[in-house]
Amino acid sequence: MTVDVERALAEVLPAEAVITDPDVLAAHRNDQAEWAPSGMPRVLVRPASTAEVQAVLRVATALRVPVVPRGAGSGLSGGANASEGCIVLSLMRMSRILEVDRRGMLAVVQPGALNGAVKAAAAEQGLWYAPDPASWEFSSIGGNLATNAGGLCCVKYGVTGDAVLGLEAVLADGTVVRTGGRTVKNVAGYDLTRLFVGSEGTLGVLTEATLRLRPRPPKATTLVAAFPTLVSAGTAVCDIMERTRPSLLELMDRTTVRAVEDWKPMGLDVEAAALLLARSDAGGPQGEEELALMVAACERAGATSVMSTADEAEGELLMGARRFAFPALEQRGATLLDDVGVPVVRIPELLAEVERIAERHGVLIGTFGHAGDGNMHPTVVFDRKDAAALARAKEAFDDILRAALDLGGTITGEHGVGSLKRGFLGAQLGPETLRLHQAIKSALDPLGLLNPGKLL
Amino acid sequence: MTVDVERALAEVLPAEAVITDPDVLAAHRNDQAEWAPSGMPRVLVRPASTAEVQAVLRVATALRVPVVPRGAGSGLSGGANASEGCIVLSLMRMSRILEVDRRGMLAVVQPGALNGAVKAAAAEQGLWYAPDPASWEFSSIGGNLATNAGGLCCVKYGVTGDAVLGLEAVLADGTVVRTGGRTVKNVAGYDLTRLFVGSEGTLGVLTEATLRLRPRPPKATTLVAAFPTLVSAGTAVCDIMERTRPSLLELMDRTTVRAVEDWKPMGLDVEAAALLLARSDAGGPQGEEELALMVAACERAGATSVMSTADEAEGELLMGARRFAFPALEQRGATLLDDVGVPVVRIPELLAEVERIAERHGVLIGTFGHAGDGNMHPTVVFDRKDAAALARAKEAFDDILRAALDLGGTITGEHGVGSLKRGFLGAQLGPETLRLHQAIKSALDPLGLLNPGKLL
């Protein structure tokens, strides 16, 4: 069977695009969610064109072999983890930026282009590609699309899907479809663009995207505020969202602040229950006015300290605390990075519940994330060598998902379901909506060959 | 058969919810696209709850009767036009605003609530429901969702779909599904919310929506500029979009300007090739700075006159010209209001082609619309009593769709495909993407009972 698949692929692809070297295969069996289940792929293919992707999917369909599409492998939910005996389809040779249309304010790119490369190409034309997952320097646009990746700026500028005008995708049977187009508004037919975005490679393989670019925003003003309680921080978040349009609104809890301060001492208030970081990029006097409104909201909510600046370099220094959040927690041990969303008003309840979960399971959990969107990353830290600690960490991880659902939230705000959280999807969606997912999956991929065991 | 259907409906609905009065049925056979095909409904039902909608759809499925869902009937593409012998399902008794959560910045509403009622309920809490189709005073949220309605402010704030956090829908077989939720970010599963939005009642009947509210923006600054050529107006539009974030950017061509000036003289430049109206709602000094940037862009592009004001009342006066555009054209005869989208850079080419189409068919076409989004409404004016004129108008209407497609655009930017444009959908999507639409339709509505003959 393996020989048949290889031979069939070798007939339709150049030799260098079909790889069976066991070391290379092993390197392509996981994304960053190492502890999610994965199997050994049968073969890795690296097509260089839509036609080659079609050829791979036709072989897969003819021989009934599962296909796991893959970008840069930076995913955090096991969405790109191989299943045993699958074809791993890497899109990383399709990494060209085909067009940047300055006047039309859009870019046409292949899925293997890194987010950072798209940002750079846009910047060359004086424009901005907004979506900024933390992985922007090393994650691919295709992966960003597959997970509908978020980031720091989406509190003002939306998630990846909000920046997509159109897509080209290859369905499981090799059919090429195009969705959307180059217009900003378009209601001709179903919104298949949005159906593919966030579908984690289970409905089709994305081979091209038309992305919306924006004018570069003005330089940001920045504030950092420390709060004595989670509730006071939550109050400030709501007030800021009601009164201003922050271009960033991030939260770090005490465990995270202490991890950062231990690793990179910068004089953070390690007694605070939470730190907020906020920015306005309204620019000029408006930016300063928004900053003043945000400072006032923090003070009214009971902040014990507020530092703010309209100076860009100083602002970058203040942002350092947030940028170090995850790496600082990683200094303390192995991590399970969770990704839940709750209504913004319920963030304090979520954080309090996470503290109880940490206590109950005897694990350390540092929480940070995108407070303005209610999207939090409770990060369970454990000793990698201690099997019992890993088990407790996994229990805590799952309890965090349950807590988010109990608060009317979601099991994933931006990382995707992948293989990690599929057991929880039904609990969030309910049986009827889950069945509807399966009906759509069957309509697009009747043989169930695309990324099996992910999302659904 | 009719008797069976009535009897079955009467068994599951209160008597007043099942209507067969021929005058009432006749009044429910069309939306505003009167000249699109329609048939006589068998019965009108007016359910008051999700359970009653379920009951209707179960009867429809059991007896294989088509169902045409309907909101306020303000649609412009025949999306709510009855098919012969169908059940018309009016959602207008489900018009409650169930909740406005000020801190959570969201509203939960039933589909029959008018857009204006949602705006008003949000405003009572100091918040803003952004989507503003021109019909906002008399169109329902359900209809706005079904067409993914646009409007004037979407150049900055997005279309209806951008304001939807979650939905409840009843599928053809009576299954109730819930999509999305109350969180801003949510990537758990496929984006079924966006699949239902814009699906024109062909995939399910929407029974509840969770809508995102925003802070009320500051008062807007306004400008009106006159341009000697279409190209110069197009240049100004692109420059404005590259440099600022207008909260409105509208265009009117000479034919439209003359119609307005004839009807409501206000000293508009009737020799100009096009007028632009633009607004900034950045507020304060920033709003004035954006206004100055927009004025400069107009002057640089060769505007022959630019009037601008930061005064709200004066701004409203200037906006009057745009508000009168369609009613002024209606003074000149019966109208076919088209709705096409092109990449913003191609607006001048579209308008020039529309002029050629008008000449070729010997009809009057006034064009106005949402220039910042490339979404234009060429409006064919003809003598209602002249059958030959109607035929020529229809040809012109169709040629406008072809022109938009030739320019890489869309046959509908915000009104929907309905029954009016379904013959053109395949030309836009191509056979593969059209087949994918049909596969999705079959997965959700295998008997094809929901709004047959619309969109697809």
Side-chain angles (χ1 to χ4, degrees):
Chain A
M1 173 71 172
T2 294
V3 175
D4 290 348
V5 175
E6 274 179 57
R7 192 179 304 143
L9 290 168
E11 274 171 22
V12 295
L13 295 179
E16 73 274 16
V18 183
I19 296 148
T20 52
D21 178 323
D23 292 341
V24 180
L25 294 184
H28 284 79
R29 89 179 258 174
N30 288 306
D31 60 18
Q32 294 302 307
E34 296 166 46
W35 55 284
S38 72
M40 194 63 177
R42 179 194 306 273
V43 56
L44 165 71
V45 293
R46 292 166 48 86
S49 68
T50 300
E52 288 185 5
V53 172
Q54 274 191 292
V56 170
L57 290 170
R58 284 181 183 141
V59 167
T61 290
L63 300 179
R64 305 289 195 267
V65 190
V67 175
V68 177
R70 180 184 178 91
S74 59
L76 295 164
S77 298
N81 280 11
S83 45
E84 190 65 30
C86 74
I87 299 171
V88 167
L89 193 169
S90 166
L91 279 311
M92 294 310 285
R93 277 179 72 207
M94 295 177 66
S95 60
R96 278 185 302 150
I97 290 165
L98 301 170
E99 179 187 355
V100 177
D101 177 353
R102 185 180 66 81
R103 294 294 275 177
M105 299 177 73
L106 59 81
V108 183
V109 308
Q110 291 187 316
L114 296 187
N115 177 302
V118 176
K119 280 190 192 301
E124 269 179 36
Q125 304 286 335
L127 293 169
W128 184 47
Y129 175 65
D132 63 345
S135 59
W136 66 274
E137 289 168 288
F138 53 88
S139 63
S140 71
I141 288 293
N144 293 176
L145 292 164
T147 54
N148 197 8
L152 301 172
C153 78
C154 44
V155 64
K156 181 164 181 177
Y157 295 101
V159 293
T160 298
D162 294 310
V164 186
L165 297 174
L167 292 172
E168 181 187 78
V170 185
L171 304 183
D173 66 2
T175 303
V176 177
V177 294
R178 295 192 70 92
T179 73
R182 292 168 74 101
T183 61
V184 179
K185 288 162 73 179
N186 182 0
V187 296
Y190 302 143
D191 194 344
L192 299 185
T193 304
R194 287 288 189 145
L195 183 62
F196 281 114
V197 170
S199 65
E200 303 189 23
T202 64
L203 298 179
V205 177
L206 304 181
T207 47
E208 191 186 291
T210 302
L211 303 174
R212 192 175 178 179
L213 306 179
R214 295 172 172 272
R216 291 182 71 81
K219 295 190 195 324
T221 58
T222 308
L223 79 78
V224 179
F227 292 86
T229 62
L230 295 173
V231 168
S232 59
T235 300
V237 169
C238 287
D239 273 11
I240 288 171
M241 291 304 291
E242 249 178 71
R243 288 177 171 79
T244 64
R245 297 197 69 204
S247 59
L248 174 150
L249 183 49
E250 297 287 312
L251 180 147
M252 299 162 67
D253 75 350
R254 181 185 287 141
T255 301
T256 307
V257 170
R258 288 182 177 178
V260 170
E261 190 62 26
D262 281 355
W263 186 45
K264 303 268 186 189
M266 52 177 80
L268 300 176
D269 177 357
V270 295
E271 296 309 319
L275 283 191
L276 279 189
L277 292 98
R279 285 188 139 175
S280 162
D281 67 359
Q286 179 77 0
E288 298 196 24
E289 191 190 317
E290 278 208 332
L291 187 66
L293 285 169
M294 297 194 293
V295 168
C298 290
E299 287 171 347
R300 209 166 34 238
T304 51
S305 77
V306 185
M307 282 176 287
S308 71
T309 179
D311 180 85
E312 209 189 1
E314 267 181 38
E316 281 305 306
L317 279 179
L318 295 180
M319 280 300 297
R322 171 62 181 86
R323 294 195 210 289
F324 291 139
F326 184 59
L329 287 166
E330 283 186 304
Q331 303 303 311
R332 304 221 149 160
T335 54
L336 303 188
L337 176 63
D338 215 328
D339 165 51
V340 292
V342 292
V344 173
V345 286
R346 309 202 73 173
I347 292 173
E349 290 166 84
L350 175 71
L351 297 189
E353 184 57 28
V354 167
E355 286 181 359
R356 284 189 288 272
I357 291 168
E359 214 165 288
R360 191 159 70 234
H361 295 287
V363 290
L364 186 73
I365 308 181
T367 301
F368 58 93
H370 317 304
D373 292 320
N375 181 201
M376 288 286 132
H377 298 306
T379 302
V380 190
V381 183
F382 63 98
D383 179 354
R384 186 183 291 272
K385 291 175 222 120
D386 177 353
L390 173 60
R392 289 202 311 276
K394 284 185 177 179
E395 280 167 28
F397 185 92
D398 288 352
D399 278 356
I400 292 165
L401 303 183
R402 290 184 193 101
L405 291 178
D406 286 346
L407 292 166
T410 176
I411 57 169
T412 174
E414 58 182 16
H415 294 171
V417 175
S419 49
L420 214 51
K421 297 182 178 177
R422 54 191 285 248
F424 282 86
L425 189 64
Q428 177 166 340
L429 300 180
E432 295 82 8
T433 305
L434 193 63
R435 270 203 302 277
L436 181 52
H437 276 70
Q438 283 151 347
I440 290 169
K441 167 73 174 174
S442 296
L444 272 75
D445 176 19
L447 300 173
L449 298 177
L450 284 174
N451 217 6
K454 313 299 165 48
L455 195 145
L456 285 173
Chain B
M1 173 73 170
T2 296
V3 174
D4 290 348
V5 175
E6 274 178 57
R7 192 179 304 142
L9 289 168
E11 275 171 21
V12 293
L13 295 179
E16 73 275 15
V18 183
I19 296 148
T20 52
D21 178 323
D23 292 342
V24 179
L25 294 185
H28 284 78
R29 88 180 259 175
N30 288 305
D31 60 20
Q32 295 302 305
E34 296 167 46
W35 55 285
S38 72
M40 193 64 180
R42 179 192 309 270
V43 56
L44 166 69
V45 292
R46 292 165 51 83
S49 67
T50 300
E52 290 186 4
V53 172
Q54 275 190 291
V56 171
L57 290 169
R58 285 180 182 142
V59 167
T61 290
L63 300 178
R64 305 288 194 270
V65 191
V67 175
V68 176
R70 181 185 179 91
S74 59
L76 294 164
S77 298
N81 281 11
S83 45
E84 190 65 31
C86 74
I87 299 170
V88 168
L89 192 170
S90 166
L91 280 310
M92 294 309 286
R93 277 178 72 207
M94 294 177 65
S95 60
R96 278 186 300 151
I97 290 165
L98 302 170
E99 179 187 356
V100 177
D101 177 353
R102 186 181 67 80
R103 294 295 275 178
M105 298 177 76
L106 59 81
V108 183
V109 308
Q110 292 188 313
L114 297 187
N115 177 302
V118 176
K119 280 189 192 303
E124 269 178 35
Q125 304 287 335
L127 293 169
W128 184 47
Y129 175 65
D132 64 344
S135 59
W136 65 273
E137 289 167 290
F138 52 89
S139 63
S140 71
I141 288 293
N144 293 176
L145 292 165
T147 54
N148 196 7
L152 301 171
C153 78
C154 43
V155 64
K156 181 164 181 178
Y157 296 101
V159 293
T160 297
D162 295 309
V164 185
L165 297 174
L167 293 172
E168 180 187 78
V170 186
L171 304 184
D173 66 1
T175 304
V176 177
V177 294
R178 294 192 72 93
T179 72
R182 293 169 74 102
T183 61
V184 180
K185 287 162 76 179
N186 182 358
V187 295
Y190 301 144
D191 193 345
L192 300 185
T193 304
R194 288 287 190 145
L195 183 63
F196 281 115
V197 170
S199 65
E200 303 189 25
T202 65
L203 298 180
V205 177
L206 304 181
T207 47
E208 191 186 292
T210 303
L211 304 173
R212 190 174 178 180
L213 307 179
R214 295 171 172 273
R216 291 183 71 80
K219 295 193 194 320
T221 59
T222 308
L223 78 78
V224 178
F227 292 86
T229 63
L230 296 173
V231 168
S232 59
T235 300
V237 169
C238 288
D239 273 11
I240 288 171
M241 291 303 292
E242 251 178 70
R243 289 178 170 78
T244 65
R245 297 199 68 204
S247 60
L248 174 151
L249 183 48
E250 298 286 312
L251 180 147
M252 299 162 66
D253 75 350
R254 183 186 286 141
T255 301
T256 307
V257 170
R258 288 182 177 178
V260 170
E261 190 62 25
D262 281 356
W263 186 45
K264 304 267 185 190
M266 54 178 77
L268 300 176
D269 178 356
V270 295
E271 297 309 318
L275 283 192
L276 280 188
L277 292 97
R279 285 189 141 175
S280 163
D281 67 359
Q286 177 78 357
E288 298 196 25
E289 190 191 318
E290 277 209 332
L291 187 67
L293 285 170
M294 297 195 291
V295 168
C298 291
E299 288 171 347
R300 208 166 35 238
T304 51
S305 76
V306 185
M307 282 176 288
S308 71
T309 180
D311 180 84
E312 207 191 3
E314 267 180 38
E316 280 305 306
L317 280 179
L318 295 179
M319 279 300 297
R322 171 62 182 85
R323 296 197 207 287
F324 291 140
F326 184 59
L329 287 166
E330 283 187 304
Q331 303 301 312
R332 305 221 150 160
T335 54
L336 304 188
L337 176 64
D338 216 330
D339 164 53
V340 291
V342 292
V344 174
V345 286
R346 310 202 73 171
I347 292 173
E349 290 166 84
L350 175 72
L351 297 188
E353 184 57 30
V354 167
E355 287 182 357
R356 285 190 288 272
I357 291 168
E359 214 166 288
R360 190 159 71 233
H361 294 287
V363 292
L364 187 73
I365 309 181
T367 301
F368 58 91
H370 317 303
D373 292 320
N375 181 200
M376 288 286 132
H377 298 306
T379 302
V380 190
V381 183
F382 64 98
D383 179 354
R384 186 182 290 271
K385 290 174 222 122
D386 178 352
L390 173 59
R392 291 202 310 277
K394 285 186 177 177
E395 282 168 26
F397 185 93
D398 288 353
D399 279 357
I400 292 165
L401 303 183
R402 291 184 192 101
L405 291 179
D406 287 346
L407 292 165
T410 176
I411 58 170
T412 174
E414 58 182 16
H415 294 171
V417 175
S419 49
L420 214 52
K421 297 181 176 176
R422 54 192 285 249
F424 282 86
L425 189 64
Q428 177 166 338
L429 299 180
E432 294 81 9
T433 305
L434 193 62
R435 269 202 303 278
L436 181 51
H437 277 69
Q438 284 151 348
I440 289 169
K441 167 74 174 172
S442 296
L444 273 76
D445 176 20
L447 300 173
L449 298 177
L450 284 174
N451 218 7
K454 311 300 162 50
L455 194 145
L456 286 174

